[in-house]
Amino acid sequence: MMRNMSRAAAAIFAATLAGTANAAISVFTTQAGFNGATTAAQTDTFNDLSQQLYTSPLARTVGSYGYQVTAANGLFPGSNAGNVFMSTNTATDIMGFSGFTGGVSAIGGFFFASNISGAPTSASSITLTVTDNMGSIVEVVLNPTTTSFRGFTSTGTITSLSVAPTQPIGGFVWPSVDDLTLAQATAAVPEPATWAMMIAGFGLVGGTMRRRSTKVAFA
């Protein structure tokens, strides 16, 4: 029983360390968590844009960073109570962010959907695909709203982010992004679930070692 517990603890601990070491991109569901894992952040609010058609690609700069926004049929920003956000001209287009300069290893923002009038609306989901120099990760945001935040940090360099909504039956919604934040990732911090696994692993290892030392002492 003691040997089984030791092997289980070692397996949990090894799997946790391996997962942390191999994870190129980390996902954050809160702005506070993302801010705590990044530095030198700059946010593009898009408030300098008008509700009109913009040719793709659209070059943007924010602080020391630069990037491009793309959509097959152009870009058409939306507005929510005077707050402008980035969107596409055609609902079925995928909106892409790429061509980053300035050393971007973290990206985040508010991801949702908007209607034909350019106002935020509900959608079944928004699919985000983030790619760095090591690979890609897909994050699905269910029932997104204007407060649905997602942030991504990479151990490498972020190369692109794509945003695509799931179209509802009998209608259309447009991919929308507000307050796009570019930053540099700091040291990765394990999520709470990962910490729990590590603590459990340490506990099992410690408990097994104590039992073994006790057994040896009485032998």
Side-chain angles (χ1 to χ4, degrees):
M1 180 63 178
M2 295 178 191
R3 291 178 180 175
N4 290 339
M5 287 179 64
S6 177
R7 288 171 181 165
I12 292 173
F13 185 59
T16 301
L17 291 181
T20 302
N22 294 333
I25 301 175
S26 298
V27 182
F28 295 83
T29 58
T30 66
Q31 191 173 29
F34 176 75
N35 290 342
T38 60
T39 187
Q42 296 288 338
T43 300
D44 193 346
T45 64
F46 305 116
N47 285 333
D48 61 308
L49 299 176
S50 303
Q51 285 190 281
Q52 66 179 49
L53 179 63
Y54 289 87
T55 303
S56 173
L58 177 63
R60 301 286 294 172
T61 58
V62 53
S64 60
Y65 305 113
Y67 71 98
Q68 291 185 337
V69 193
T70 59
N73 295 289
L75 300 151
F76 200 104
S79 178
N80 178 31
N83 178 55
V84 179
F85 54 84
M86 183 60 75
S87 190
T88 61
N89 184 46
T90 303
T92 54
D93 284 353
I94 295 175
M95 182 162 51
F97 300 85
S98 60
F100 301 109
T101 61
V104 175
S105 56
I107 188 168
F110 296 94
F111 302 93
F112 52 99
S114 55
N115 60 24
I116 193 170
S117 299
T121 185
S122 60
S124 57
S125 66
I126 293 287
T127 299
L128 308 175
T129 303
V130 179
T131 303
D132 66 3
N133 59 313
M134 301 179 188
S136 298
I137 187 171
V138 176
E139 172 74 0
V140 178
V141 185
L142 299 176
N143 302 314
T145 68
T146 55
T147 60
S148 296
F149 181 88
R150 288 296 185 277
F152 305 87
T153 62
S154 171
T155 54
T157 302
I158 299 289
T159 57
S160 67
L161 162 67
S162 68
V163 185
T166 299
Q167 298 298 336
I169 297 175
F172 293 96
V173 293
W174 281 252
S176 305
V177 178
D178 196 13
D179 290 351
L180 184 76
T181 300
L182 306 180
Q184 297 171 13
T186 55
V189 178
E191 294 291 327
T194 304
W195 277 119
M197 290 180 64
M198 293 179 68
I199 292 171
F202 285 135
L204 288 173
V205 171
T208 303
M209 290 176 65
R210 284 193 296 272
R211 290 188 180 95
R212 283 185 171 178
S213 63
T214 301
K215 182 178 180 180
V216 171
F218 282 97

